[in-house]
Amino acid sequence: RKLGTVPAAVDEEGKDINPHIPQYISDAPWYLDPKGPTLKHQRQQEEKIKTYSGISEWYNRGVDTSKTATRYRKGACENCGAMTHKKKDCLERPRKIGAKFSGANF
């Protein structure tokens, strides 16, 4: 077959099998019970294909709005209301009325 004197082997689906493919790749495992030459075991299986959402499908991105702070919490930054730092470490510009007293825009 490699020399081209014999026609290439044809698999179950009617596709030609390249004669230059090594035997360890073209032979199907014993547990698949092949009924002739085939490369079906090398192709992606339908049941193992993962489906992803399409590019036009919308899903909630970012922070969950139900879990965001709505009022000042003890121990938070007095300027912006974040729990990750204190007023002296805050990188936002100083507010005229801080989050501790205004209770807005956390």
Side-chain angles (χ1 to χ4, degrees), residues 38-77:
T38 182
L39 290 175
K40 198 171 192 177
H41 63 282
Q42 292 288 342
R43 295 190 182 97
Q44 196 170 26
Q45 306 299 318
E46 289 293 327
E47 61 270 5
K48 292 184 180 178
I49 296 175
K50 295 180 181 178
T51 57
Y52 299 102
S53 59
I55 196 163
S56 61
E57 288 185 46
W58 189 87
Y59 62 93
N60 291 332
R61 294 168 173 84
V63 181
D64 188 9
T65 55
S66 65
K67 296 179 182 176
T68 56
T70 56
R71 46 190 6 228
Y72 180 78
R73 296 172 287 179
K74 185 178 177 183
C77 174

Side-chain angles (χ1 to χ4, degrees), residues 12-51:
E12 298 168 348
E13 298 171 357
K15 297 179 181 176
D16 289 342
I17 296 177
N18 188 341
H20 300 287
I21 293 177
Q23 186 176 3
Y24 69 91
I25 292 177
S26 62
D27 286 345
W30 59 270
Y31 52 85
L32 291 179
D33 193 32
K35 296 172 179 59
T38 182
L39 290 175
K40 198 171 192 177
H41 63 282
Q42 292 288 342
R43 295 190 182 97
Q44 196 170 26
Q45 306 299 318
E46 289 293 327
E47 61 270 5
K48 292 184 180 178
I49 296 175
K50 295 180 181 178
T51 57

